[in-house]
Amino acid sequence: MHIRNLTPHHIKLINQSTGEEVVLPPDPNGPARCVVSRVQVDQLLIRGVTIPIVKTIFGDVYNLPATVHGTRFIVSRPVAEALAGIRRDLLVPENLVRDEQGRIIGAGALAIYEPRER
């Protein structure tokens, strides 16, 4: 299985049982991106301050290669959510591992996104 990191960051994957780690650098062709827009659907007044409530809409995905047999792509959560149920080769870092100060230092798993049942 071939893995390509289509995020703009190095991804450190940590096997929490063994302590083994692997770091995947960003793909040289750049990250896959998703057009994200937000539409205000309501607002709340909280202690005298008006705060908008928005609906996030995931639009077109770009810079994502076509499916390649034997290859999985690590992508951002918005890209995976936009293509949930359409692309089964997309993975997102999951089970985040934190250091003593609470900073994210890696991921203990990779997740597949499926469309929500309604």
Side-chain angles (χ1 to χ4, degrees):
M1 177 65 59
H2 183 66
I3 303 289
R4 289 178 58 190
N5 175 8
L6 299 182
T7 76
H9 313 285
H10 282 77
I11 300 289
K12 181 192 285 188
L13 300 172
I14 304 168
N15 182 318
Q16 293 178 284
S17 298
T18 65
E20 294 174 302
E21 301 178 354
V22 62
V23 176
L24 303 173
D27 194 89
N29 295 318
R33 298 281 189 188
C34 180
V35 175
V36 179
S37 60
R38 291 168 183 85
V39 178
Q40 184 171 338
V41 295
D42 204 351
Q43 62 186 24
L44 291 175
L45 185 61
I46 304 172
R47 297 185 187 140
V49 178
T50 301
I51 304 297
I53 298 174
V54 297
K55 174 181 176 180
T56 302
I57 301 166
F58 299 107
D60 293 338
V61 172
Y62 57 96
N63 205 36
L64 178 65
T67 299
V68 177
H69 179 74
T71 299
R72 296 282 185 109
F73 302 98
I74 299 175
V75 297
S76 67
R77 189 173 305 267
V79 169
E81 288 184 15
L83 296 172
I86 299 170
R87 294 277 300 257
R88 304 255 323 139
D89 57 343
L90 306 181
L91 303 168
V92 175
E94 191 64 64
N95 294 351
L96 300 179
V97 179
R98 298 177 184 272
D99 66 13
E100 299 79 30
Q101 286 77 40
R103 294 178 295 222
I104 296 171
I105 60 169
L110 294 169
I112 296 172
Y113 274 73
E114 296 289 339
R116 278 191 285 180
E117 294 181 25
R118 299 191 189 252

